[in-house]
Amino acid sequence: MGDKTDEFARSPESIPQEKPVGPSPPPNGGTIAWLNVLGSFMLYFNTWGILNTFGAYQTYYESGALFHSSSSDISWVGSIAAFMLLFVGVFVGPIYDRGYLRTLLIVGSLMVTFGHMMLSLCSEFWQVVLAQGFVVGIGTGCLFVPCVAIIPQYFTTKMGAAMGVAASGSALGGVIYPIILYRLINQIGFPWAVRVIGFIALGTLLIPISIMRLRVQPPKVRAMIDPTAFKDPAYLAFVFTTLIAYMGLFVILFYLSFFAEATRITDSSLAFYMVPIFNAASVFGRTIPNKLADRFGPFNLIVPAALSSGMLMFCMMAVHSKAAVIVMAILSGFMSGALIGLPPMCVAILTVDKSKLGTRIGMGYAIIALGVLASGPSGGAILRNGGASLDWHSLWVFGGVPTCMSGLGYAAIRISKYGPKLNIKA
């Protein structure tokens, strides 16, 4: 009898089973989840939203009201800021993975605000480079990784919709900030116009600081570099092709507004509004192609997007009227949105080991940032090559050729991975 009792006592059914401890699945909705989407929206609003405004700053700086410098030198400011946003992410990613979300939000918000306040005091070119290029650029770099990485913690089945809502903040910022800059420069002057933008950035950045929280800390800190990526020909080819694409793409983003004013196609008022029009169109370019990519595959869409963006820049040589420049702003904005939104999806399908996806995206964009860094200054040097008369035709050729070449590069990668048949989702 005692043996049977002991046997019963030792049986698995008699031992209380411990429930496995681990993070619960993402809620895919609810107040907390959508509040984090709101926070991410505000981060997009104050990262790419601010950088997408630089075309308006380029136009103002070209007037010589603040300082006198060449187009190439001026575009270094925007190029450095965009480079910093992409490059700093390599270092911010591991910090985020260690659970320092709130620290990154506070540091990034303070740097963005401080950079604008210092910009309002600038009167020389080198001061603008430091304030707007480096301080604001590094600040946006601290904020960009959190706004991308937080949403997958709260969504799986609805992640596409949540990411689309959050990413639309970048386009809204690119619409609102240049309008504020233009409207206030004539009323209260450039220094106070920039301070107002700084205060708006601070106020809107208090929202993510207040409401965004890590639901779970990533189980493993991502590495800054994945050595296996350098042995992956498709990945390396894609990163290099995107570098070439962005070297051409950012030409129109920086110079469209200045082109409209310098060629007297529009007055200075409508020239400033080219930037909001361009960014408003990019809202649809970032959302519609990404949605279609779930059905047709991102490579099948990024090829025509790159070719179309390049051809549109060639078409800029034939623009001589207000209607034409507005149409080109809308079409170019849409295609640029697609060319910016699709690459992460392409990297995802090229990465077999999904645990390395974050690292590969981070190191890939750090390399791609070199193309952004070269784009504006090189375009400015070509533009001023004509001496007293600006060489706009050469500028649009410089933008169009690499962008079209990238389309051919994407097509080559697509064919090498999935074959030449067009009905294959790739």
Side-chain angles (χ1 to χ4, degrees):
M1 186 67 154
D3 293 341
K4 290 183 179 181
T5 304
D6 292 342
E7 183 179 348
F8 175 78
R10 291 192 300 267
S11 65
E13 291 79 9
S14 65
I15 302 174
Q17 299 294 311
E18 293 185 3
K19 294 183 178 180
V21 179
S24 58
N28 287 309
T31 303
I32 300 300
W34 286 108
L35 282 176
N36 277 273
V37 173
L38 173 62
S40 182
F41 176 94
M42 290 303 174
L43 293 182
Y44 271 106
F45 184 86
N46 289 295
T47 52
W48 280 115
I50 288 175
L51 296 186
N52 288 343
T53 305
F54 185 74
Y57 283 99
Q58 176 95 23
T59 303
Y60 176 75
Y61 295 153
E62 292 275 5
S63 70
L66 189 64
F67 57 81
H68 294 278
S69 194
S70 67
S71 298
S72 179
D73 289 343
I74 291 171
S75 59
W76 272 110
V77 179
S79 295
I80 290 172
F83 173 81
M84 286 297 171
L85 181 147
L86 296 172
F87 185 76
V88 168
V90 177
F91 306 97
V92 170
I95 296 174
Y96 172 88
D97 290 344
R98 287 182 168 88
Y100 294 104
L101 169 64
R102 191 175 180 83
T103 301
L104 289 171
L105 294 179
I106 293 173
V107 171
S109 300
L110 290 177
M111 291 192 72
V112 168
T113 306
F114 178 73
H116 279 91
M117 297 308 164
M118 291 299 99
L119 177 60
S120 71
L121 303 176
C122 294
S123 59
E124 297 184 33
F125 171 70
W126 66 269
Q127 296 171 338
V128 174
V129 171
L130 290 177
Q132 191 172 12
F134 283 97
V135 179
V136 174
I138 294 172
T140 57
C142 292
L143 300 174
F144 184 57
V145 169
C147 70
V148 175
I150 194 71
I151 290 180
Q153 293 201 2
Y154 289 90
F155 293 89
T156 51
T157 58
K158 299 180 180 179
M159 187 167 65
M163 289 290 288
V165 171
S168 64
S170 62
L172 182 63
V175 171
I176 291 178
Y177 279 135
I179 293 176
I180 292 174
L181 180 69
Y182 170 71
R183 298 288 293 180
L184 294 184
I185 281 178
N186 295 327
Q187 296 182 18
I188 58 179
F190 178 79
W192 270 107
V194 173
R195 288 178 195 130
V196 169
I197 290 176
F199 283 125
I200 293 174
L202 176 61
T204 51
L205 285 171
L206 289 176
I207 296 174
I209 292 174
S210 302
I211 64 179
M212 289 182 73
R213 296 291 183 272
L214 286 174
R215 194 178 69 87
V216 292
Q217 186 169 333
K220 183 180 179 182
V221 177
R222 77 188 76 177
M224 286 192 291
I225 297 176
D226 173 22
T228 63
F230 297 103
K231 299 178 183 179
D232 187 340
Y235 172 80
L236 292 177
F238 181 82
V239 169
F240 178 75
T241 301
T242 307
L243 184 154
I244 298 298
Y246 282 19
M247 187 170 66
L249 179 65
F250 275 72
V251 168
I252 195 166
L253 195 150
F254 281 3
Y255 289 104
L256 176 62
S257 175
F258 180 47
F259 165 77
E261 182 181 47
T263 55
R264 301 184 184 280
I265 293 175
T266 69
D267 56 22
S268 59
S269 175
L270 185 55
F272 268 93
Y273 280 99
M274 287 297 105
V275 178
I277 292 172
F278 182 95
N279 288 319
S282 75
V283 174
F284 303 97
R286 290 169 190 259
T287 53
I288 295 175
N290 278 39
K291 186 67 175 177
L292 293 175
D294 291 332
R295 178 178 178 182
F296 299 104
F299 274 104
N300 288 335
L301 296 176
I302 198 171
V303 172
L307 291 173
S308 299
S309 294
M311 295 304 297
L312 285 170
M313 271 185 270
F314 287 130
C315 292
M316 288 295 297
M317 292 187 284
V319 171
H320 301 291
S321 67
K322 289 182 181 179
V325 76
I326 292 173
V327 170
M328 293 302 295
I330 294 172
L331 295 177
S332 298
F334 180 88
M335 290 302 171
S336 74
L339 201 48
I340 290 173
L342 290 171
M345 299 184 69
C346 295
V347 174
I349 66 173
L350 290 175
T351 304
V352 178
D353 185 355
K354 301 304 181 186
S355 66
K356 298 179 180 179
L357 179 60
T359 298
R360 287 204 171 191
I361 290 178
M363 62 184 287
Y365 271 105
I367 298 170
I368 292 167
L370 295 173
V372 178
L373 187 65
S375 178
S378 300
I382 292 171
L383 179 62
R384 294 294 181 178
N385 193 43
S389 60
L390 301 178
D391 191 357
W392 289 106
H393 282 202
S394 296
L395 177 70
W396 300 131
V397 170
F398 169 73
V401 168
T403 313
C404 285
M405 286 178 58
S406 71
L408 298 177
Y410 289 135
I413 297 170
R414 190 259 187 222
I415 292 172
S416 67
K417 290 287 290 185
Y418 304 100
K421 292 185 179 180
L422 298 179
N423 60 347
I424 297 176
K425 179 180 176 180

